[in-house]
Amino acid sequence: MHSEFALINRFLAPDPNVPVSGVSLGVGDDAALLEPAAGQRLVVSVDTSMVDVHFPAAAPAHAIGHRALAVSLSDLAAMGARARWCLMSLTLPEPDEAWVKAFAEGFHALCHSSGVGLAGGDVTRGELAIGVTVMGEVPPGEALTRAGSRPGDWLAVTGSLGGGAGGLASWQAGERDLTAALLSRYLLPVPRLSAGRALRGLASAAIDISDGLLADLEHLCQASGVGAELWPGALPMAEGLVDEWGEAAARQAALNGGDDYELLVSMPPSFLEPARQRLAELGVALTVIGRFTTEPGLTGVDAPVSSGWQHFPGDRP
């Protein structure tokens, strides 16, 4: 049986033969020493993924590792930041060597493809949970926030919607093929890091869609002090969602399902085509699904605005 230190050294520590940019002291000491680029603002976010809350206990370990990092990186994408480093804490019921190896492979693979360096972390015993802190950089004054939407701005979304909810339903129905389009969207989400950086200077506000389109749109409206008119017929549906669920159910999944990790943005109409051109170079679609209004509230949908996932449901502020 491996100790936590052996697990870290064998599976979780970065490859010593691959230097991590900006880390002058990383895994193996009491804390990391990082070197942000000169003149950049540091962007930091933290997320916790709990077994059977954020991912199924029986999900493949490599997918759990990927997903735990991806959902945190999505927050950096929404800020238009370049991802640089992460910290990861892993709580395990038992030191299962094969499981940790596969988990680490999924985590490290996304680190590599996203340009992120694992700078430190912790392993402890308890119910399976993963805490990930991500750090990135953005030039001063260029960070995308939730508070910039203006009446008359277009409301637009990257990629497609409903895939997260569709993938969860597929898993619950017994689908286990991670190459299946919907299941892949749920267990192996792709954070829109390049898209977020490309939208700097064009988007007036942004948020990533984790709790569902309606819930996250409400966050955007509240932060900006605006309302929104939504065009449900314009929603871009995830591949296979309409075929499996039908039009009406697919639209509800796109509106309230969550776990899509697309970017929901506002932008002046004159910036739409430049934004689409930038994203087209990345292979990412940008679809206008409504506009922001002066009057508060949401129009265009009959469904009530979802409050999204809440760990402690109750009266909302």
Side-chain angles (χ1 to χ4, degrees), residues 145-149 205-226 228 264 292 298 305-310 316-317:
T145 72
R146 301 179 180 185
S149 301
I207 189 172
D208 73 318
I209 302 176
S210 55
D211 293 331
L213 172 63
L214 292 184
D216 289 314
L217 174 56
E218 184 180 29
H219 297 324
L220 205 60
C221 288
Q222 288 179 343
S224 296
V226 296
L264 183 65
F292 287 93
L298 177 63
V305 176
S306 168
S307 61
W309 170 258
Q310 296 187 52
R316 299 177 66 199

PDB file of all heavy atoms in Angstrom, residues 145-149 205-226 228 264 292 298 305-310 316-317:
ATOM      1  N   THR A 145     -15.425  40.267 -17.498  1.00  0.00           N
ATOM      2  CA  THR A 145     -16.145  40.094 -16.241  1.00  0.00           C
ATOM      3  C   THR A 145     -17.634  39.952 -16.549  1.00  0.00           C
ATOM      4  O   THR A 145     -18.064  40.042 -17.692  1.00  0.00           O
ATOM      5  CB  THR A 145     -15.928  41.283 -15.289  1.00  0.00           C
ATOM      6  OG1 THR A 145     -16.640  42.422 -15.790  1.00  0.00           O
ATOM      7  CG2 THR A 145     -14.432  41.619 -15.152  1.00  0.00           C
ATOM      8  N   ARG A 146     -18.428  39.767 -15.493  1.00  0.00           N
ATOM      9  CA  ARG A 146     -19.873  39.644 -15.664  1.00  0.00           C
ATOM     10  C   ARG A 146     -20.575  41.002 -15.724  1.00  0.00           C
ATOM     11  O   ARG A 146     -21.768  41.051 -16.007  1.00  0.00           O
ATOM     12  CB  ARG A 146     -20.469  38.844 -14.496  1.00  0.00           C
ATOM     13  CG  ARG A 146     -19.912  37.447 -14.336  1.00  0.00           C
ATOM     14  CD  ARG A 146     -20.552  36.754 -13.143  1.00  0.00           C
ATOM     15  NE  ARG A 146     -20.033  35.401 -12.955  1.00  0.00           N
ATOM     16  CZ  ARG A 146     -20.483  34.547 -12.057  1.00  0.00           C
ATOM     17  NH1 ARG A 146     -21.479  34.903 -11.255  1.00  0.00           N
ATOM     18  NH2 ARG A 146     -19.966  33.337 -11.948  1.00  0.00           N
ATOM     19  N   ALA A 147     -19.852  42.073 -15.483  1.00  0.00           N
ATOM     20  CA  ALA A 147     -20.507  43.362 -15.226  1.00  0.00           C
ATOM     21  C   ALA A 147     -20.437  44.348 -16.385  1.00  0.00           C
ATOM     22  O   ALA A 147     -20.610  45.541 -16.168  1.00  0.00           O
ATOM     23  CB  ALA A 147     -19.903  43.986 -13.973  1.00  0.00           C
ATOM     24  N   GLY A 148     -20.225  43.897 -17.607  1.00  0.00           N
ATOM     25  CA  GLY A 148     -20.057  44.854 -18.704  1.00  0.00           C
ATOM     26  C   GLY A 148     -21.165  44.901 -19.726  1.00  0.00           C
ATOM     27  O   GLY A 148     -21.100  45.684 -20.678  1.00  0.00           O
ATOM     28  N   SER A 149     -22.206  44.076 -19.597  1.00  0.00           N
ATOM     29  CA  SER A 149     -23.276  44.053 -20.601  1.00  0.00           C
ATOM     30  C   SER A 149     -24.022  45.386 -20.621  1.00  0.00           C
ATOM     31  O   SER A 149     -24.266  45.990 -19.576  1.00  0.00           O
ATOM     32  CB  SER A 149     -24.277  42.930 -20.300  1.00  0.00           C
ATOM     33  OG  SER A 149     -23.636  41.675 -20.296  1.00  0.00           O
ATOM     34  N   ALA A 205     -18.940  41.427 -21.713  1.00  0.00           N
ATOM     35  CA  ALA A 205     -19.089  40.660 -20.476  1.00  0.00           C
ATOM     36  C   ALA A 205     -19.106  39.187 -20.852  1.00  0.00           C
ATOM     37  O   ALA A 205     -19.382  38.825 -21.996  1.00  0.00           O
ATOM     38  CB  ALA A 205     -20.365  41.035 -19.732  1.00  0.00           C
ATOM     39  N   ALA A 206     -18.813  38.335 -19.874  1.00  0.00           N
ATOM     40  CA  ALA A 206     -18.787  36.893 -20.155  1.00  0.00           C
ATOM     41  C   ALA A 206     -18.970  36.104 -18.878  1.00  0.00           C
ATOM     42  O   ALA A 206     -18.666  36.582 -17.778  1.00  0.00           O
ATOM     43  CB  ALA A 206     -17.466  36.498 -20.830  1.00  0.00           C
ATOM     44  N   ILE A 207     -19.465  34.883 -19.047  1.00  0.00           N
ATOM     45  CA  ILE A 207     -19.602  33.924 -17.961  1.00  0.00           C
ATOM     46  C   ILE A 207     -19.550  32.543 -18.592  1.00  0.00           C
ATOM     47  O   ILE A 207     -19.938  32.379 -19.759  1.00  0.00           O
ATOM     48  CB  ILE A 207     -20.932  34.142 -17.197  1.00  0.00           C
ATOM     49  CG1 ILE A 207     -20.985  33.299 -15.919  1.00  0.00           C
ATOM     50  CG2 ILE A 207     -22.134  33.857 -18.081  1.00  0.00           C
ATOM     51  CD1 ILE A 207     -22.200  33.620 -15.037  1.00  0.00           C
ATOM     52  N   ASP A 208     -19.050  31.555 -17.874  1.00  0.00           N
ATOM     53  CA  ASP A 208     -19.105  30.199 -18.421  1.00  0.00           C
ATOM     54  C   ASP A 208     -20.392  29.529 -17.959  1.00  0.00           C
ATOM     55  O   ASP A 208     -20.908  29.812 -16.887  1.00  0.00           O
ATOM     56  CB  ASP A 208     -17.873  29.372 -18.053  1.00  0.00           C
ATOM     57  CG  ASP A 208     -17.848  28.940 -16.593  1.00  0.00           C
ATOM     58  OD1 ASP A 208     -18.197  29.766 -15.723  1.00  0.00           O
ATOM     59  OD2 ASP A 208     -17.479  27.792 -16.320  1.00  0.00           O
ATOM     60  N   ILE A 209     -20.929  28.662 -18.814  1.00  0.00           N
ATOM     61  CA  ILE A 209     -22.213  28.024 -18.534  1.00  0.00           C
ATOM     62  C   ILE A 209     -21.961  26.726 -17.788  1.00  0.00           C
ATOM     63  O   ILE A 209     -21.659  25.691 -18.381  1.00  0.00           O
ATOM     64  CB  ILE A 209     -23.002  27.776 -19.829  1.00  0.00           C
ATOM     65  CG1 ILE A 209     -23.229  29.095 -20.559  1.00  0.00           C
ATOM     66  CG2 ILE A 209     -24.340  27.109 -19.514  1.00  0.00           C
ATOM     67  CD1 ILE A 209     -23.916  28.941 -21.898  1.00  0.00           C
ATOM     68  N   SER A 210     -22.061  26.799 -16.477  1.00  0.00           N
ATOM     69  CA  SER A 210     -21.885  25.618 -15.633  1.00  0.00           C
ATOM     70  C   SER A 210     -23.202  25.214 -14.971  1.00  0.00           C
ATOM     71  O   SER A 210     -23.503  24.027 -14.833  1.00  0.00           O
ATOM     72  CB  SER A 210     -20.823  25.876 -14.565  1.00  0.00           C
ATOM     73  OG  SER A 210     -21.143  27.026 -13.800  1.00  0.00           O
ATOM     74  N   ASP A 211     -23.996  26.202 -14.572  1.00  0.00           N
ATOM     75  CA  ASP A 211     -25.249  25.919 -13.868  1.00  0.00           C
ATOM     76  C   ASP A 211     -26.454  25.826 -14.796  1.00  0.00           C
ATOM     77  O   ASP A 211     -27.549  25.476 -14.349  1.00  0.00           O
ATOM     78  CB  ASP A 211     -25.515  27.008 -12.820  1.00  0.00           C
ATOM     79  CG  ASP A 211     -24.500  26.984 -11.698  1.00  0.00           C
ATOM     80  OD1 ASP A 211     -23.968  25.901 -11.412  1.00  0.00           O
ATOM     81  OD2 ASP A 211     -24.244  28.043 -11.103  1.00  0.00           O
ATOM     82  N   GLY A 212     -26.283  26.145 -16.060  1.00  0.00           N
ATOM     83  CA  GLY A 212     -27.381  26.172 -17.013  1.00  0.00           C
ATOM     84  C   GLY A 212     -27.501  27.550 -17.625  1.00  0.00           C
ATOM     85  O   GLY A 212     -27.209  28.567 -16.986  1.00  0.00           O
ATOM     86  N   LEU A 213     -27.937  27.611 -18.884  1.00  0.00           N
ATOM     87  CA  LEU A 213     -28.008  28.878 -19.604  1.00  0.00           C
ATOM     88  C   LEU A 213     -28.837  29.914 -18.857  1.00  0.00           C
ATOM     89  O   LEU A 213     -28.409  31.054 -18.668  1.00  0.00           O
ATOM     90  CB  LEU A 213     -28.598  28.635 -20.996  1.00  0.00           C
ATOM     91  CG  LEU A 213     -28.925  29.885 -21.815  1.00  0.00           C
ATOM     92  CD1 LEU A 213     -27.664  30.684 -22.101  1.00  0.00           C
ATOM     93  CD2 LEU A 213     -29.639  29.506 -23.106  1.00  0.00           C
ATOM     94  N   LEU A 214     -30.060  29.554 -18.434  1.00  0.00           N
ATOM     95  CA  LEU A 214     -30.916  30.540 -17.789  1.00  0.00           C
ATOM     96  C   LEU A 214     -30.332  31.033 -16.472  1.00  0.00           C
ATOM     97  O   LEU A 214     -30.368  32.225 -16.177  1.00  0.00           O
ATOM     98  CB  LEU A 214     -32.312  29.953 -17.558  1.00  0.00           C
ATOM     99  CG  LEU A 214     -33.151  29.676 -18.807  1.00  0.00           C
ATOM    100  CD1 LEU A 214     -34.538  29.191 -18.408  1.00  0.00           C
ATOM    101  CD2 LEU A 214     -33.257  30.906 -19.692  1.00  0.00           C
ATOM    102  N   ALA A 215     -29.809  30.126 -15.682  1.00  0.00           N
ATOM    103  CA  ALA A 215     -29.230  30.521 -14.388  1.00  0.00           C
ATOM    104  C   ALA A 215     -28.026  31.418 -14.581  1.00  0.00           C
ATOM    105  O   ALA A 215     -27.876  32.450 -13.898  1.00  0.00           O
ATOM    106  CB  ALA A 215     -28.850  29.287 -13.585  1.00  0.00           C
ATOM    107  N   ASP A 216     -27.149  31.076 -15.506  1.00  0.00           N
ATOM    108  CA  ASP A 216     -25.941  31.877 -15.702  1.00  0.00           C
ATOM    109  C   ASP A 216     -26.239  33.187 -16.415  1.00  0.00           C
ATOM    110  O   ASP A 216     -25.578  34.203 -16.164  1.00  0.00           O
ATOM    111  CB  ASP A 216     -24.887  31.057 -16.443  1.00  0.00           C
ATOM    112  CG  ASP A 216     -24.316  29.952 -15.560  1.00  0.00           C
ATOM    113  OD1 ASP A 216     -23.992  30.240 -14.394  1.00  0.00           O
ATOM    114  OD2 ASP A 216     -24.220  28.801 -16.023  1.00  0.00           O
ATOM    115  N   LEU A 217     -27.248  33.196 -17.286  1.00  0.00           N
ATOM    116  CA  LEU A 217     -27.683  34.454 -17.883  1.00  0.00           C
ATOM    117  C   LEU A 217     -28.216  35.397 -16.808  1.00  0.00           C
ATOM    118  O   LEU A 217     -27.970  36.607 -16.844  1.00  0.00           O
ATOM    119  CB  LEU A 217     -28.754  34.185 -18.945  1.00  0.00           C
ATOM    120  CG  LEU A 217     -29.416  35.409 -19.572  1.00  0.00           C
ATOM    121  CD1 LEU A 217     -28.383  36.356 -20.178  1.00  0.00           C
ATOM    122  CD2 LEU A 217     -30.432  34.974 -20.635  1.00  0.00           C
ATOM    123  N   GLU A 218     -28.937  34.856 -15.845  1.00  0.00           N
ATOM    124  CA  GLU A 218     -29.427  35.690 -14.748  1.00  0.00           C
ATOM    125  C   GLU A 218     -28.258  36.304 -13.972  1.00  0.00           C
ATOM    126  O   GLU A 218     -28.292  37.482 -13.601  1.00  0.00           O
ATOM    127  CB  GLU A 218     -30.310  34.875 -13.803  1.00  0.00           C
ATOM    128  CG  GLU A 218     -30.932  35.721 -12.700  1.00  0.00           C
ATOM    129  CD  GLU A 218     -31.803  34.917 -11.755  1.00  0.00           C
ATOM    130  OE1 GLU A 218     -31.529  33.719 -11.571  1.00  0.00           O
ATOM    131  OE2 GLU A 218     -32.738  35.498 -11.193  1.00  0.00           O
ATOM    132  N   HIS A 219     -27.203  35.518 -13.732  1.00  0.00           N
ATOM    133  CA  HIS A 219     -26.016  36.068 -13.053  1.00  0.00           C
ATOM    134  C   HIS A 219     -25.433  37.232 -13.854  1.00  0.00           C
ATOM    135  O   HIS A 219     -25.045  38.260 -13.294  1.00  0.00           O
ATOM    136  CB  HIS A 219     -24.949  34.989 -12.891  1.00  0.00           C
ATOM    137  CG  HIS A 219     -25.363  33.837 -12.033  1.00  0.00           C
ATOM    138  ND1 HIS A 219     -26.165  33.970 -10.928  1.00  0.00           N
ATOM    139  CD2 HIS A 219     -25.061  32.501 -12.130  1.00  0.00           C
ATOM    140  CE1 HIS A 219     -26.350  32.782 -10.364  1.00  0.00           C
ATOM    141  NE2 HIS A 219     -25.703  31.883 -11.080  1.00  0.00           N
ATOM    142  N   LEU A 220     -25.355  37.061 -15.178  1.00  0.00           N
ATOM    143  CA  LEU A 220     -24.789  38.087 -16.046  1.00  0.00           C
ATOM    144  C   LEU A 220     -25.644  39.352 -16.000  1.00  0.00           C
ATOM    145  O   LEU A 220     -25.118  40.470 -15.886  1.00  0.00           O
ATOM    146  CB  LEU A 220     -24.708  37.545 -17.476  1.00  0.00           C
ATOM    147  CG  LEU A 220     -23.667  38.141 -18.419  1.00  0.00           C
ATOM    148  CD1 LEU A 220     -22.259  37.949 -17.880  1.00  0.00           C
ATOM    149  CD2 LEU A 220     -23.792  37.505 -19.799  1.00  0.00           C
ATOM    150  N   CYS A 221     -26.971  39.185 -16.073  1.00  0.00           N
ATOM    151  CA  CYS A 221     -27.872  40.336 -16.042  1.00  0.00           C
ATOM    152  C   CYS A 221     -27.792  41.078 -14.713  1.00  0.00           C
ATOM    153  O   CYS A 221     -27.754  42.318 -14.674  1.00  0.00           O
ATOM    154  CB  CYS A 221     -29.306  39.888 -16.311  1.00  0.00           C
ATOM    155  SG  CYS A 221     -29.631  39.388 -18.018  1.00  0.00           S
ATOM    156  N   GLN A 222     -27.766  40.330 -13.619  1.00  0.00           N
ATOM    157  CA  GLN A 222     -27.710  40.966 -12.303  1.00  0.00           C
ATOM    158  C   GLN A 222     -26.421  41.754 -12.120  1.00  0.00           C
ATOM    159  O   GLN A 222     -26.425  42.867 -11.586  1.00  0.00           O
ATOM    160  CB  GLN A 222     -27.857  39.909 -11.210  1.00  0.00           C
ATOM    161  CG  GLN A 222     -29.263  39.343 -11.091  1.00  0.00           C
ATOM    162  CD  GLN A 222     -29.372  38.285 -10.012  1.00  0.00           C
ATOM    163  OE1 GLN A 222     -28.364  37.730  -9.554  1.00  0.00           O
ATOM    164  NE2 GLN A 222     -30.591  37.990  -9.586  1.00  0.00           N
ATOM    165  N   ALA A 223     -25.305  41.173 -12.555  1.00  0.00           N
ATOM    166  CA  ALA A 223     -24.022  41.855 -12.393  1.00  0.00           C
ATOM    167  C   ALA A 223     -23.949  43.117 -13.247  1.00  0.00           C
ATOM    168  O   ALA A 223     -23.312  44.102 -12.856  1.00  0.00           O
ATOM    169  CB  ALA A 223     -22.877  40.912 -12.754  1.00  0.00           C
ATOM    170  N   SER A 224     -24.610  43.094 -14.412  1.00  0.00           N
ATOM    171  CA  SER A 224     -24.544  44.222 -15.343  1.00  0.00           C
ATOM    172  C   SER A 224     -25.689  45.209 -15.168  1.00  0.00           C
ATOM    173  O   SER A 224     -25.664  46.296 -15.759  1.00  0.00           O
ATOM    174  CB  SER A 224     -24.552  43.707 -16.792  1.00  0.00           C
ATOM    175  OG  SER A 224     -23.402  42.936 -17.077  1.00  0.00           O
ATOM    176  N   GLY A 225     -26.732  44.841 -14.401  1.00  0.00           N
ATOM    177  CA  GLY A 225     -27.858  45.731 -14.216  1.00  0.00           C
ATOM    178  C   GLY A 225     -28.711  45.886 -15.457  1.00  0.00           C
ATOM    179  O   GLY A 225     -29.209  46.986 -15.745  1.00  0.00           O
ATOM    180  N   VAL A 226     -28.889  44.800 -16.214  1.00  0.00           N
ATOM    181  CA  VAL A 226     -29.669  44.829 -17.448  1.00  0.00           C
ATOM    182  C   VAL A 226     -30.653  43.669 -17.447  1.00  0.00           C
ATOM    183  O   VAL A 226     -30.618  42.798 -16.577  1.00  0.00           O
ATOM    184  CB  VAL A 226     -28.760  44.739 -18.702  1.00  0.00           C
ATOM    185  CG1 VAL A 226     -27.846  45.952 -18.791  1.00  0.00           C
ATOM    186  CG2 VAL A 226     -27.932  43.445 -18.673  1.00  0.00           C
ATOM    187  N   ALA A 228     -32.719  40.831 -20.399  1.00  0.00           N
ATOM    188  CA  ALA A 228     -32.362  40.127 -21.633  1.00  0.00           C
ATOM    189  C   ALA A 228     -33.603  39.579 -22.311  1.00  0.00           C
ATOM    190  O   ALA A 228     -34.563  39.165 -21.650  1.00  0.00           O
ATOM    191  CB  ALA A 228     -31.378  38.990 -21.345  1.00  0.00           C
ATOM    192  N   LEU A 264     -20.903  32.273 -22.413  1.00  0.00           N
ATOM    193  CA  LEU A 264     -22.053  33.120 -22.690  1.00  0.00           C
ATOM    194  C   LEU A 264     -21.551  34.553 -22.622  1.00  0.00           C
ATOM    195  O   LEU A 264     -21.022  34.978 -21.590  1.00  0.00           O
ATOM    196  CB  LEU A 264     -23.139  32.876 -21.643  1.00  0.00           C
ATOM    197  CG  LEU A 264     -24.453  33.625 -21.808  1.00  0.00           C
ATOM    198  CD1 LEU A 264     -25.175  33.175 -23.080  1.00  0.00           C
ATOM    199  CD2 LEU A 264     -25.346  33.418 -20.590  1.00  0.00           C
ATOM    200  N   PHE A 292     -29.539  42.089 -25.034  1.00  0.00           N
ATOM    201  CA  PHE A 292     -29.715  42.666 -23.700  1.00  0.00           C
ATOM    202  C   PHE A 292     -30.599  43.901 -23.786  1.00  0.00           C
ATOM    203  O   PHE A 292     -30.579  44.640 -24.778  1.00  0.00           O
ATOM    204  CB  PHE A 292     -28.358  43.003 -23.085  1.00  0.00           C
ATOM    205  CG  PHE A 292     -27.595  41.778 -22.655  1.00  0.00           C
ATOM    206  CD1 PHE A 292     -26.684  41.172 -23.512  1.00  0.00           C
ATOM    207  CD2 PHE A 292     -27.811  41.208 -21.412  1.00  0.00           C
ATOM    208  CE1 PHE A 292     -26.002  40.029 -23.136  1.00  0.00           C
ATOM    209  CE2 PHE A 292     -27.135  40.066 -21.019  1.00  0.00           C
ATOM    210  CZ  PHE A 292     -26.219  39.473 -21.881  1.00  0.00           C
ATOM    211  N   LEU A 298     -36.141  38.644 -17.742  1.00  0.00           N
ATOM    212  CA  LEU A 298     -35.888  37.849 -18.938  1.00  0.00           C
ATOM    213  C   LEU A 298     -37.194  37.650 -19.691  1.00  0.00           C
ATOM    214  O   LEU A 298     -38.202  37.244 -19.109  1.00  0.00           O
ATOM    215  CB  LEU A 298     -35.292  36.484 -18.545  1.00  0.00           C
ATOM    216  CG  LEU A 298     -35.025  35.490 -19.670  1.00  0.00           C
ATOM    217  CD1 LEU A 298     -33.984  36.036 -20.634  1.00  0.00           C
ATOM    218  CD2 LEU A 298     -34.569  34.147 -19.096  1.00  0.00           C
ATOM    219  N   VAL A 305     -36.973  30.951 -14.773  1.00  0.00           N
ATOM    220  CA  VAL A 305     -35.513  31.013 -14.710  1.00  0.00           C
ATOM    221  C   VAL A 305     -35.027  30.065 -13.633  1.00  0.00           C
ATOM    222  O   VAL A 305     -35.388  30.193 -12.463  1.00  0.00           O
ATOM    223  CB  VAL A 305     -35.034  32.445 -14.427  1.00  0.00           C
ATOM    224  CG1 VAL A 305     -33.518  32.478 -14.260  1.00  0.00           C
ATOM    225  CG2 VAL A 305     -35.459  33.382 -15.553  1.00  0.00           C
ATOM    226  N   SER A 306     -34.211  29.091 -14.013  1.00  0.00           N
ATOM    227  CA  SER A 306     -33.684  28.130 -13.048  1.00  0.00           C
ATOM    228  C   SER A 306     -32.659  28.804 -12.158  1.00  0.00           C
ATOM    229  O   SER A 306     -31.907  29.676 -12.599  1.00  0.00           O
ATOM    230  CB  SER A 306     -33.041  26.953 -13.795  1.00  0.00           C
ATOM    231  OG  SER A 306     -32.281  26.154 -12.919  1.00  0.00           O
ATOM    232  N   SER A 307     -32.621  28.387 -10.920  1.00  0.00           N
ATOM    233  CA  SER A 307     -31.577  28.883 -10.017  1.00  0.00           C
ATOM    234  C   SER A 307     -30.292  28.094 -10.168  1.00  0.00           C
ATOM    235  O   SER A 307     -29.292  28.385  -9.517  1.00  0.00           O
ATOM    236  CB  SER A 307     -32.057  28.808  -8.562  1.00  0.00           C
ATOM    237  OG  SER A 307     -32.343  27.465  -8.214  1.00  0.00           O
ATOM    238  N   GLY A 308     -30.311  27.072 -11.050  1.00  0.00           N
ATOM    239  CA  GLY A 308     -29.120  26.265 -11.230  1.00  0.00           C
ATOM    240  C   GLY A 308     -28.884  25.341 -10.049  1.00  0.00           C
ATOM    241  O   GLY A 308     -29.662  25.278  -9.102  1.00  0.00           O
ATOM    242  N   TRP A 309     -27.786  24.609 -10.125  1.00  0.00           N
ATOM    243  CA  TRP A 309     -27.442  23.694  -9.046  1.00  0.00           C
ATOM    244  C   TRP A 309     -27.067  24.483  -7.805  1.00  0.00           C
ATOM    245  O   TRP A 309     -26.277  25.427  -7.837  1.00  0.00           O
ATOM    246  CB  TRP A 309     -26.274  22.806  -9.461  1.00  0.00           C
ATOM    247  CG  TRP A 309     -25.743  22.018  -8.304  1.00  0.00           C
ATOM    248  CD1 TRP A 309     -24.618  22.271  -7.587  1.00  0.00           C
ATOM    249  CD2 TRP A 309     -26.342  20.850  -7.695  1.00  0.00           C
ATOM    250  NE1 TRP A 309     -24.462  21.359  -6.577  1.00  0.00           N
ATOM    251  CE2 TRP A 309     -25.509  20.475  -6.620  1.00  0.00           C
ATOM    252  CE3 TRP A 309     -27.488  20.129  -7.956  1.00  0.00           C
ATOM    253  CZ2 TRP A 309     -25.789  19.385  -5.824  1.00  0.00           C
ATOM    254  CZ3 TRP A 309     -27.768  19.043  -7.162  1.00  0.00           C
ATOM    255  CH2 TRP A 309     -26.925  18.677  -6.118  1.00  0.00           C
ATOM    256  N   GLN A 310     -27.629  24.088  -6.661  1.00  0.00           N
ATOM    257  CA  GLN A 310     -27.273  24.704  -5.375  1.00  0.00           C
ATOM    258  C   GLN A 310     -26.981  23.586  -4.375  1.00  0.00           C
ATOM    259  O   GLN A 310     -27.766  22.675  -4.211  1.00  0.00           O
ATOM    260  CB  GLN A 310     -28.414  25.576  -4.846  1.00  0.00           C
ATOM    261  CG  GLN A 310     -28.726  26.772  -5.723  1.00  0.00           C
ATOM    262  CD  GLN A 310     -29.748  27.683  -5.077  1.00  0.00           C
ATOM    263  OE1 GLN A 310     -29.582  28.096  -3.918  1.00  0.00           O
ATOM    264  NE2 GLN A 310     -30.797  28.003  -5.795  1.00  0.00           N
ATOM    265  N   ARG A 316     -33.317  32.357  -1.634  1.00  0.00           N
ATOM    266  CA  ARG A 316     -32.258  33.008  -2.396  1.00  0.00           C
ATOM    267  C   ARG A 316     -32.186  34.472  -1.980  1.00  0.00           C
ATOM    268  O   ARG A 316     -33.194  35.102  -1.682  1.00  0.00           O
ATOM    269  CB  ARG A 316     -32.547  32.907  -3.890  1.00  0.00           C
ATOM    270  CG  ARG A 316     -32.620  31.483  -4.396  1.00  0.00           C
ATOM    271  CD  ARG A 316     -32.981  31.447  -5.850  1.00  0.00           C
ATOM    272  NE  ARG A 316     -31.928  32.033  -6.647  1.00  0.00           N
ATOM    273  CZ  ARG A 316     -32.133  32.455  -7.897  1.00  0.00           C
ATOM    274  NH1 ARG A 316     -33.313  32.414  -8.437  1.00  0.00           N
ATOM    275  NH2 ARG A 316     -31.125  32.966  -8.596  1.00  0.00           N
ATOM    276  N   PRO A 317     -30.999  35.036  -1.965  1.00  0.00           N
ATOM    277  CA  PRO A 317     -30.864  36.451  -1.582  1.00  0.00           C
ATOM    278  C   PRO A 317     -31.518  37.361  -2.598  1.00  0.00           C
ATOM    279  O   PRO A 317     -31.639  37.024  -3.746  1.00  0.00           O
ATOM    280  CB  PRO A 317     -29.342  36.654  -1.543  1.00  0.00           C
ATOM    281  CG  PRO A 317     -28.771  35.594  -2.429  1.00  0.00           C
ATOM    282  CD  PRO A 317     -29.697  34.435  -2.275  1.00  0.00           C
TER     283      PRO A 317
END
